[in-house]
Amino acid sequence: MRQLLRNTNFTFILGAGLVFILVQALISVGVLNAYWQGIIFWGAAITMVSLGLNLIYGFNGQFSLGQFGFYAIGAYASADITYRWVRNDPSALVVVIFGSVLALVFMLGVSAFLRRFYGVATLAKFLFHFLAAVLGFFLAVRFVNPAIGKSVYTALNALPSGLSQQIVFFLALVGGATLAGIISYLFGIPVLELGSDYFGIATLGFTIIVKVLLDNTDTLLPFPEMKGARGMVGIPKWTTWPWVFFTFMAVVLVMRNLLHSSTGRAILSVREDERAAELVGIDTASQKILAFVIGSVFAGLAGGIRAHDMAFLHPTMFGFLPSFNPLIIIVFGGLGSMTGTIITGFFWIFLLEGLLRLYLPEGFETWRFVVYPLVLLLMMLLRPQGLMGRYEIAFLRRPLPPPRVKESPPAPKPIPEAGEVAV
Amino acid sequence: MKGRPENLSPEVEARPVILEIEGLTHYFDSLRAVHDFSVTIKEGELVGLIGPNGAGKTTVFNLITGVYRPTAGSIRYEGAQLVGLPSHEIIQMGIARTFQNIRLFANLTVLDNVLIAYHPHAGYGLADSIFRSRRYREREKAMIERSQEFLEIFGLADRQNDIAGSLPYGLQRRLEIARALATQPRLLLLDEPAAGMNPQEIDQLMELIHFIRDRFQLTIFLVEHRMRLVMNICEWITVMDFGEIIARGKPEEVRGNPQVIEAYLGRQAIR
Ligand SMILES: Nc1ncnc2c1ncn2[C@@H]1O[C@H](COP(=O)(O)OP(=O)(O)O)[C@@H](O)[C@H]1O
Ligand SMILES: [Mg+2]
C-alpha cells in the first residue's frame, strides 16, 4: 500500500477519484445546490480555456487574446447541434460532424500537396486551406445532410432515449471542439507568422469579430435560432458532473502527455529561442500551429460544457472584457504551470463569480474591471512569475530521467576513446 | 577548382564535394555584408573562415543555414540547392551549426537541450504521445539513452538535469556542440567556438574538434576571428574582409600574406 501511494500516477488517480465521488455525493445529497454546481462547472470550463491558453502562451510563447472566440464557437456550435436535435432536426449534427471530417480530409490533402512546393506564399496557403474547409462544409450542407440526415436521426432514436441523448451530447461537444480547431488552424496559418506581438493583436481582433457575428447570428448569419443579441435560449441542460469531470480530466491528460513528449519539448523550444529551435531542425511554424489548434480545441470543448450547463447563451458572455479572464488566470497561476492554472482557474470563478457575487453590492460589477487590472498589476510587481512559477505537482511534472547506468567504469577524461560509446 | 586553394593533395581533391558556394552576395539594406563569396569544401575537410570583426563571416553562416535569403548566389549541399529552403529543412538535410553568442534553451535542462535536437528523429507521433503508446515509451527511452551517450562524450553526463543556463561558460559551449551533433549532421558549422576561452580551454577545444570529426566523420567549416585556433587545426583557410575574399590557402601561406596581415593584424594593432 505504501509502495502504491508513492506511485504518483496511483495517488493522482486516487485523489481525482475521491474528488469525483465527493462532489457527486454532495450534489446527490443536495449540499451543493444548483448555484454552486454551476460555479464548479463554470470553473472547470474557464480552467480548460486557460489551460489551452497556457499551452499557447505559457509553453509555446505565442500571446493569444483569441481564446474566448474559440470558446464561443464551441459553445454556439454544440448548442446549435443539441438545440436542433431536441426539436427533431438532425441537420446541425450531421453538418458539423460530417462537414468537419470532410474539411479535415480536404485540408490534409491540400497540405500534403503544398508540401511539395517550396516557398508557397502564406496567403496562398491560407486560401487553399480555406477553400478546402469551405468545400467540406458546403458538401455536408448540400449533399450529405439531405442524403443521410433522416437515417442518422432514425438510427440514433432507435437507441434507448437516455443513450441517444448521451451520444448526441458527446458528438455535439466533439463537433464544437473540432470546429474551433479547424477555424484556429485557418486563422493560425497567416497570423502565427507575424510574431507573438502581432499575433496577440490579431487574435484580439478575432475575439471581437466573433462577438460581432454572434450579435448578428439572426441577420448576418443564417441562424435565427441563435437569436443574435437577444441571446440563445432553449438549449438542453445536459451538462452533468460526470461530463464535466471526464472532459476536464481528458483535457488535463492530453495536455500533460503532449508536454511530456518530444513534441512537447519542441513546443517549449519555440518559447525559449525560436531561431535556435529552427536551427536545430525544429519546424517552428508547425509547432506554433499545433499548440494554437490544441489550445483552441480545449476552448471549444469548454464552450460546449458551459453552453449545456447555462442552457442559455448570450454574446456578452464572450465579449471583450470577460475574454481577459484566461489571461489573468494564467498570469496569476504562472505561465508554464498547469498546476497553477488549475488552482487559479477554479479559485478565480469561485471567488469572483461565486462568493463575491453573493456578498458584494450590485454596483460591484462595474468596478470589477478597475479592480482586476490593479490586482494584476500588483501581481506583476510583487510576483511576476505567478503564484506557482513553473511548479507542477508530481503527476504533471516532466520526469527527470535518471542518469544512465554505465556498462564500463567512467572514463577519467571527459573525452573517451573512439568506439567506446556506440552512438 | 574554384573556391579552393590550388595546392591541396590529390587524395583530398579526389573526394566528393559536400558544400559548394558560388557568387554569394548579401545586402542588409544598403550595407554590403557579403560580396561574391565562394568556397568549395570536400568531404572530411576541416576548413577555416577568418577575418576581422564585421567581415561578414557570421552572415555567411546565416546564409548557408537559411536565416537570411541571399541577394544573389548559390549554395549547394551534396548537390542540392539550399537557397530558399527554410532553416529547419536545411538542418534536417545534415548541416548543423553553433552560434557566436551561445544560444541554448537556457531555461530547460541540459538533457532537454540535446533531446530537442533529436526531435526530427523521434520516430513517434502525436497520437503515440497522447495515448502513451508502446512506441512512445520505447522511442522515448531510446532517445534519452542516445542523448545521454552524447552528454557522456562531452563530459556533461553528471549535469544532465541541471538548467542549461546555469552551466559555466565553457560547458555551455560544449553543450551547444553536443546539441548540434544530436541533429546528426555531416557538415558542422562552428561560429567562433573559442570566443571567450583562455589558451588552455582553447587547447581542450582543439582536441574536442579533432575528436568529434573522427568520431562522427564530419566535415567542419569553422569561423574564427582570432588566428590561434584556426592556424593550428584547419587544413586550409579562406580570409574575408569587408565582405570579400582577400586570400585563400594553407595556414602558413595565409599567415605570410601581406594583404591578410594588413587587413587583419594591421587593424588589430590599431585597436
Ligand atoms: N541582421 C543584420 N542587419 C543589419 N546588418 C547586419 C546584420 N547582421 C550583420 N550585419 C552587418 O553585416 C556586417 C557583417 O557582420 P557579421 O557577418 O556578423 O561579421 P563577422 O561575423 O565577420 O564579425 C557587419 O557590418 C554587421 O554590422
Ligand atoms: Mg561573427
Side-chain angles (χ1 to χ4, degrees), chain A residues 340-408:
Chain A
T341 303
I342 294 170
I343 295 174
T344 328
F346 278 98
F347 191 70
W348 185 255
I349 296 296
F350 174 77
L351 192 71
L352 292 162
E353 307 294 347
L355 274 184
L356 293 189
R357 201 182 281 271
L358 284 185
Y359 297 115
L360 283 178
E362 282 287 302
F364 175 66
E365 285 284 289
T366 40
W367 281 95
R368 288 210 317 212
F369 291 98
V370 177
V371 177
Y372 289 5
L374 283 178
V375 176
L376 201 59
L377 208 66
L378 272 180
M379 187 73 190
M380 293 206 170
L381 286 174
L382 298 177
R383 203 174 155 79
Q385 74 275 41
L387 288 175
M388 291 290 153
R390 284 185 181 154
Y391 171 83
E392 299 286 14
I393 56 168
F395 180 72
L396 298 174
R397 202 179 303 148
R398 287 199 311 137
L400 293 176
R404 200 162 81 103
V405 208
K406 295 181 188 113
E407 301 95 48
S408 51

Side-chain angles (χ1 to χ4, degrees), chain A residues 4-327:
Chain A
L4 266 179
L5 277 177
R6 245 184 247 130
N7 180 327
T8 50
N9 286 342
F10 178 79
T11 40
F12 181 81
I13 292 167
L14 188 73
L18 285 178
V19 169
F20 175 71
I21 292 167
L22 183 72
V23 172
Q24 186 62 60
L26 289 179
I27 290 172
S28 307
V29 177
V31 176
L32 278 177
N33 58 22
Y35 179 81
W36 287 108
Q37 252 185 71
I39 293 298
I40 292 177
F41 295 0
W42 191 0
I46 290 296
T47 304
M48 287 190 270
V49 182
S50 307
L51 283 171
L53 178 63
N54 209 344
L55 181 64
I56 298 164
Y57 184 36
F59 290 95
N60 195 222
Q62 309 304 309
F63 185 55
S64 167
L65 289 169
Q67 295 319 103
F68 250 52
F70 299 109
Y71 183 47
I73 288 170
Y76 270 87
S78 62
D80 200 44
I81 291 175
T82 55
Y83 176 96
R84 293 195 192 206
W85 180 267
V86 296
R87 286 163 184 76
N88 303 328
D89 173 5
S91 60
L93 176 69
V94 173
V95 166
V96 171
I97 295 293
F98 286 89
S100 297
V101 171
L102 288 174
L104 284 174
V105 169
F106 294 155
M107 290 192 333
L108 262 167
V110 165
S111 355
F113 179 69
L114 289 181
R115 213 170 294 140
R116 298 220 229 123
F117 305 96
Y118 289 120
V120 180
T122 310
L123 223 54
K125 217 183 205 171
F126 165 74
L127 208 67
F128 283 125
H129 281 91
F130 180 72
L131 290 177
V134 169
L135 179 69
F137 283 101
F138 172 77
L139 290 181
V141 172
R142 192 79 176 64
F143 299 109
V144 180
N145 183 43
I148 65 164
K150 275 227 172 63
S151 14
V152 168
Y153 186 72
T154 337
L156 274 174
N157 267 332
L159 300 168
S161 79
L163 182 61
S164 73
Q165 176 195 314
Q166 300 292 304
I167 292 176
V168 170
F169 187 32
F170 177 75
L171 291 176
L173 290 178
V174 170
T178 313
L179 197 64
I182 289 174
I183 293 173
S184 70
Y185 182 74
L186 291 174
F187 186 77
I189 294 174
V191 172
L192 274 166
E193 277 201 7
L194 299 175
S196 187
D197 298 345
Y198 296 101
F199 179 66
I201 294 166
T203 45
L204 178 61
F206 177 78
T207 307
I208 294 170
I209 291 171
V210 170
K211 163 79 163 59
V212 170
L213 287 178
L214 292 181
D215 278 333
N216 298 288
T217 39
D218 47 351
T219 51
L220 286 177
L221 300 178
F223 301 114
E225 71 277 16
M226 294 181 188
K227 297 203 181 64
R230 285 166 297 153
M232 183 176 185
V233 289
I235 305 162
K237 198 174 164 71
W238 284 352
T239 297
T240 56
W241 170 239
W243 275 106
V244 173
F245 179 81
F246 288 107
T247 313
F248 183 77
M249 289 318 275
V251 164
V252 169
L253 279 178
V254 166
M255 182 158 163
R256 174 192 87 135
N257 288 0
L258 176 75
L259 287 172
H260 292 192
S261 74
S262 188
T263 309
R265 289 188 292 262
I267 285 174
L268 289 177
S269 75
V270 173
R271 171 193 77 192
E272 289 297 308
D273 186 336
E274 193 173 332
R275 161 93 43 101
E278 188 74 24
L279 288 170
V280 295
I282 306 283
D283 181 354
T284 53
S286 301
Q287 304 308 329
K288 288 194 278 186
I289 291 261
L290 181 72
F292 185 49
V293 169
I294 293 181
S296 302
V297 166
F298 291 172
L301 206 51
I305 290 287
R306 180 83 181 123
H308 292 85
D309 176 45
M310 292 286 280
F312 164 73
L313 288 174
H314 194 278
T316 51
M317 290 162 62
F318 307 101
F320 180 72
L321 288 175
S323 80
F324 280 87
N325 276 335
L327 181 66

Side-chain angles (χ1 to χ4, degrees), chain B residues 8 101 130 150 164 180 197 206 212-213 226 242 244-245:
Chain B
L8 298 172
N101 324 305
I130 288 172
F150 263 110
M197 286 188 173
M206 287 196 279
I212 60 172
R213 177 167 79 143
R226 288 182 308 174
F242 293 115
E244 303 199 33
I245 294 175

